[in-house]
Amino acid sequence: MAFDSNTVSFERFMLADDRDEYPMAFWLTTEFSGNFQQAVFEQALLKALGRHPLLRSRIEGARLSQSRWIESVESMPFVDFGLKGVPKRYPAGQGARIDLRRENGLRIWVRTSENGISMSFQFHHACCDALGAMQFLEDLFTGYDHYAHARVGSPPLKALSQSLHSTRADFGLSWPEKFWRFPIDVVGVLVGLGVFFCIRPVPIAASQTVSKGDVGPSDKCPELITHTFDESIFTKLQQVARLQKVTLNDIAISDLFCVLRAWNERQKAGSGSPVLRIMVPMSLREANLEQMPAMNYVGMVHLDRRGSRMKSARTLLEGVSWEMRFLKLLRLDISFSRCWKFLAMVPGGQRMMIPLGRCCATTVLSNFGRAFEGCALQRRNGRIVLGDMVLQSITGAPPIRPWVRATFTLTSYAERLTLAMHYDRTCLTRADAVAILQSYAKRFVANVDTILPLEEAFQSTVHTPTLSPT
């Protein structure tokens, strides 16, 4: 049966905030060593798409509230094969925005050379989130490995349940759960909207040297800036998090506050004690939803900090950790979708949620987690092997918005941690973007250089007293 489903509130938010200059799409980029087989890739791609209906569907309906997903007559998305060095550009006649009324919500670029293969994937955010995209890639890579070795039968893909598409509207909450959550949702909507609209954060300060020459052709795909920590640093960072009884995500959030505050102060942006706001996507998948196909199943929370509250790095980290635990405990990440659903019923409410003339968030920090942690493919030195290729790295970044001039991502793979930055080339030069990411990476390393020596020194001064016999 062909796929046919109403859009849900969070998907309609993604569609409403989709713009030509600032598409509501995110990127995943992969680097391989080995030899690439195009025919095998296309066969595996069709197999993977058959398991993820939203990636082979388009939008129909005159109004957002009446829009529907309808399976496309053309399952294959835009795929551009070329040699390394050939610029990655959008489809002819199309721009950066994926118009879901005209094309499927996935674009792929493959570039090959004697030294390796790079693949870039652009996903419309209404179709899926990062974890859904990772599931799709796992299916694609598993299929590629199967067909590359000319194995008979279907690839050994993880079972997926198409019936889980129906949980998108209420995030799988049962009626009893909805009942006891009702007071939390009411407070979350009222308080969340009040804070979101009454407290005005500042954006990342624009570069003082940006020029039109830095932007480049409008049909050229963005390039992510990345920094990868080796295995030893990643292990030590996890050790630092355990010693301080926080998560690596908590450290990443508090460090990003400090980095952006320092950047804005150097650019002399804002007066007084401006507020910085970091939006944090949070997966709403529970343990019983492991068989979920690719879809957008995330909530959003935001953390605000004034410059005056960032004097002490330790105090900042403790505050961020406490706030994140509180938000997770009450699952307040669901409230973002509830806010959109509520405002969509109010005349003009959608325009309030998508303001054009002011900043509603400074940046977005997304943790993609451990990529392909449960993947059944064979590994070589911790890296998955598919056919004659070895996946060397993977990273990605959320979309940028009119006032969100850069977004950041953490991805761990093969016991390495990668920071990635997607930046607005009309506001920041590449050199300034690199400087920001380097400052961010140095803050991570500073945690290792500062906390671990102190802990080791403390442990060396602790002696178990010897009790003398009486």
Side-chain angles (χ1 to χ4, degrees):
M1 181 181 296
F3 182 74
D4 187 338
S5 173
N6 289 327
T7 56
V8 299
S9 59
F10 197 67
E11 292 167 352
R12 289 193 287 272
F13 165 70
M14 296 293 178
L15 293 169
D17 197 24
D18 196 13
R19 316 174 194 209
D20 290 337
E21 299 82 4
Y22 295 94
M24 184 56 76
F26 67 95
W27 292 80
L28 289 179
T29 62
T30 56
E31 297 290 337
F32 297 85
S33 59
N35 300 308
F36 175 72
Q37 301 178 58
Q38 180 174 329
V40 170
F41 179 85
E42 292 174 336
Q43 186 178 10
L45 177 58
L46 280 174
K47 182 66 176 180
L49 287 168
R51 291 161 50 85
H52 301 278
L54 289 177
L55 291 177
R56 63 175 195 270
S57 298
R58 302 186 184 185
I59 292 292
E60 286 189 358
R63 298 173 55 191
L64 283 176
S65 59
Q66 299 173 345
S67 58
R68 298 179 61 81
W69 291 103
I70 303 295
E71 187 165 341
S72 174
V73 295
E74 177 56 58
S75 295
M76 186 66 79
F78 168 82
V79 186
D80 179 32
F81 298 100
L83 296 176
K84 188 174 182 179
V86 176
K88 295 190 290 287
R89 300 192 184 279
Y90 299 111
Q94 305 291 322
R97 184 174 74 90
I98 298 176
D99 185 352
L100 286 173
R101 299 182 186 277
R102 301 174 57 187
E103 62 177 310
N104 301 355
L106 169 64
R107 294 168 174 172
I108 305 173
W109 292 261
V110 180
R111 295 292 182 266
T112 58
S113 70
E114 294 181 357
N115 299 322
I117 308 98
S118 65
M119 298 183 191
S120 299
F121 302 83
Q122 184 188 19
F123 294 87
H124 196 293
H125 227 327
C127 296
C128 67
D129 55 25
L131 293 184
M134 289 286 190
Q135 178 59 58
F136 168 76
L137 291 188
E138 181 178 328
D139 290 349
L140 173 63
F141 296 163
T142 302
Y144 184 98
D145 181 70
H146 179 84
Y147 297 126
H149 289 100
R151 297 189 178 104
V152 298
S154 297
L157 301 173
K158 181 174 69 177
L160 297 181
S161 175
Q162 302 301 326
S163 64
L164 291 176
H165 283 101
S166 62
T167 67
R168 300 178 353 262
D170 53 17
F171 302 111
L173 295 174
S174 64
W175 280 108
E177 289 173 324
K178 292 178 184 177
F179 177 78
W180 73 258
R181 275 200 60 86
F182 182 74
I184 298 176
D185 286 336
V186 171
V187 173
V189 169
L190 295 178
V191 175
L193 287 176
V195 172
F196 195 79
F197 290 114
C198 295
I199 298 179
R200 299 292 182 90
V202 296
I204 298 174
S207 171
Q208 297 176 356
T209 58
V210 71
S211 66
K212 292 183 178 180
D214 297 312
V215 178
S218 60
D219 63 340
K220 186 178 180 181
C221 301
E223 298 291 340
L224 306 183
I225 300 174
T226 64
H227 179 92
T228 299
F229 301 100
D230 62 24
E231 184 177 347
S232 63
I233 294 294
F234 185 29
T235 300
K236 291 177 180 178
L237 282 169
Q238 295 174 90
Q239 185 179 354
V240 167
R242 287 193 297 270
L243 288 172
Q244 298 187 99
K245 297 180 180 180
V246 299
T247 67
L248 186 57
N249 221 37
D250 297 335
I251 294 175
I253 294 170
S254 59
D255 282 354
L256 187 54
F257 271 125
C258 294
V259 168
L260 296 184
R261 176 198 175 197
W263 168 262
N264 278 7
E265 287 180 346
R266 286 197 299 271
Q267 302 299 311
K268 297 180 174 57
S271 58
S273 184
V275 173
L276 297 178
R277 173 173 294 161
I278 298 179
M279 303 293 295
V280 182
M282 300 175 67
S283 176
L284 299 174
R285 293 167 174 80
E286 298 293 315
N288 61 335
L289 300 176
E290 292 181 350
Q291 296 183 342
M292 177 177 291
M295 63 183 75
N296 199 317
Y297 218 81
V298 298
M300 298 282 286
V301 298
H302 64 266
L303 293 87
D304 292 0
R305 291 295 184 274
R306 291 188 181 276
S308 57
R309 293 180 60 190
M310 289 186 272
K311 300 296 184 182
S312 167
R314 178 63 189 176
T315 301
L316 174 62
L317 177 59
E318 290 175 347
V320 166
S321 179
W322 180 91
E323 189 171 350
M324 288 297 291
R325 288 197 301 269
F326 176 77
L327 294 169
K328 292 175 184 177
L329 177 65
L330 297 183
R331 296 193 70 188
L332 290 177
D333 42 8
I334 296 178
S335 296
F336 186 88
S337 179
R338 296 285 190 263
C339 288
W340 171 256
K341 193 172 184 178
F342 169 76
L343 287 175
M345 296 184 293
V346 178
Q350 293 181 353
R351 288 192 296 273
M352 293 174 57
M353 200 71 170
I354 309 174
L356 298 176
R358 64 182 180 87
C359 176
C360 283
T362 307
T363 189
V364 177
L365 173 62
S366 182
N367 190 335
F368 286 3
R370 293 182 175 271
F372 310 117
E373 185 175 25
C375 183
L377 288 171
Q378 293 184 350
R379 293 179 183 264
R380 185 181 303 162
N381 297 324
R383 296 170 173 83
I384 63 173
V385 180
L386 46 153
D388 296 327
M389 301 192 302
V390 178
L391 177 62
Q392 297 295 332
S393 66
I394 179 169
T395 190
I400 54 176
R401 313 311 303 145
W403 291 94
V404 180
R405 293 166 175 167
T407 61
F408 300 85
T409 307
L410 284 77
T411 308
S412 55
Y413 171 70
E415 298 306 320
R416 296 187 174 202
L417 179 68
T418 298
L419 297 177
M421 178 181 178
H422 182 194
Y423 68 100
D424 188 344
R425 291 177 291 180
T426 67
C427 299
L428 294 170
T429 66
R430 179 177 176 81
D432 285 334
V434 169
I436 292 173
L437 192 67
Q438 286 179 343
S439 297
Y440 196 17
K442 289 178 181 177
R443 294 260 341 166
F444 271 76
V445 176
N447 288 294
V448 173
D449 294 340
T450 303
I451 302 299
L452 288 184
L454 288 176
E455 180 65 21
E456 292 168 358
F458 174 76
Q459 293 293 340
S460 66
T461 60
V462 176
H463 303 282
T464 302
T466 302
L467 298 180
S468 301
T470 56

